Amino acid sequence: MIDLTVAQIAEIVGGQLADISPQDAARRHVTGTVEFDSRAVGAGGLFLALPGARADGHDHAASAVAAGAVAVLAARPVGVPAIVVAPQQNSAGDALSGVLEHDADGSGAAVLAALAKLARAVATELVAGGLAIVGITGSSGKTSTKDLVAAVLKPLGQVVAPPGSFNNELGHPWTVLRATRDTDYLVLEMSARHPGNIAALAQIATPSIGVVLNVGTAHLGEFGSREVIAQTKSELPQAVPSSGVVILNADDPAVAAMAQVTAARVVRVSRGEGADVWAGPVSLDELARPQFTMHAGSATVDIRLGVYGDHQVGNALTAAAVALECGASLQQVADALAAAGPTSRHRMQVTTRPDGVTIIDDAYNANPDSMRAGLQALAWIAHGEAQRRSWAVLGEMGELGDDAITEHDRIGRLAVRLDVSRLVVVGTGRSMSAMHHAAVLEGAWGAADDRGAVSVPDADAALALLRAEVQPGDVVLVKASNAVGLGALADALVSEGASA
């Protein structure tokens, strides 16, 4: 974060000083990071007191100051130097996308609102000094694309991007406040569970480059229809000023139509000819890493990606378009994409153990589009020259609303059609029963793997099954929505193989 005094921060957020005199507040500078976990606070930091499922951050204010925090941003006095903002009743529900599920008194909403004000002030000052902000939204692929964008911009200057999926009303301003006066590029994910969420995030830090990847069915249960999802994603191109650039996936009609709602210049990317940046025929290597010729205007360059899956082609084209807008050469883009492997945990991380078992860890998130992409990558890797046995260990795709049963049914059938050897359905709810039942009905499992689909109650049972039955050379995909907790299962599979 940029250097600010406690007094300056209090003025920006409209807070009152507590347990610190005005004179001390004017002398004490916040020079470190802003943190909501007291264990992460360092010297010169600012601590956010937020309510959580297990503890209230206000109860950890003293330990945060003892660890080096200069002050605390809180909703009530905490006995140590603090900036206190008034609680906001009825603000922690839909407007905050479920970020604050344990905010009965509105204290967390008040702190989040203050955090947004602080981030907006800092972003405004940094943009005036030359900072370029890239905002990325879409129903799927945001985190993978964010990682690729950060990689292709790194040769051009200092880049700040969020770890993992810090893309909501807490993670977004938290990431903004990671930027300093030395930062050249700030890359932000922008997620939504309700209309208005992306517009609100864009007000905190308005992108000069806006990216829309796709309009799918993630969070369909929250939005109610794909049309509402599209309208919400379009809040990003609408927020980009006329001096900026909007990069749109021309292969998604709902995204392509967003060219009509932005005042910014539009750059289109596509898997086929006719776009500003497009890919020639795509081939995959033995680990499903794509290779293709990228076209940008009349120029071309050969691309070999370091990430896995055919679905990464669109993400890479988007990252390339961003970098080219920022002044990168085609060769710089090609070199950066070749060197950019998976960065965020549990997102298409491919590991081959000493015993030859390959683990595809994509356990962080799941929606119908990303589930199909994961299964296709599994099938490609398994059905190469070696004809390896494949396992799909799948958990529930959350927030699909009335479409949950149908979508899980489709994934169960797809696993069979892709000739996945073993489908392990993790969970006992109606959606997972639909997935298992659909796979059994689809039939056509290979004769050598006649046990086909199996249903287990939880991740522990799935791990026990895999430990007993996975053989050297098998390929295992682990994928589910994050709440299912299959990330720990994937970690266990990788670590156990490392000691084999």
Side-chain angles (χ1 to χ4, degrees), residues 365-392:
N365 206 354
N367 57 60
D369 293 333
S370 68
M371 191 72 87
R372 283 188 284 270
L375 286 170
Q376 288 162 356
L378 169 66
W380 179 269
I381 294 172
H383 298 160
E385 293 182 5
Q387 289 296 306
R388 303 163 69 182
R389 191 168 66 155
S390 56
W391 294 73

Side-chain angles (χ1 to χ4, degrees), residues 343-405:
T343 300
S344 298
R345 293 190 67 212
H346 303 308
R347 290 172 181 82
M348 287 305 289
Q349 292 182 306
V350 178
T351 304
T352 299
R353 306 186 328 193
D355 62 358
V357 173
T358 297
I359 310 298
I360 307 171
D361 176 6
D362 200 26
Y364 183 82
N365 206 354
N367 57 60
D369 293 333
S370 68
M371 191 72 87
R372 283 188 284 270
L375 286 170
Q376 288 162 356
L378 169 66
W380 179 269
I381 294 172
H383 298 160
E385 293 182 5
Q387 289 296 306
R388 303 163 69 182
R389 191 168 66 155
S390 56
W391 294 73
V393 184
L394 307 182
E396 186 173 16
M397 301 177 287
E399 301 175 340
L400 292 178
D402 293 339
D403 286 352
I405 300 299

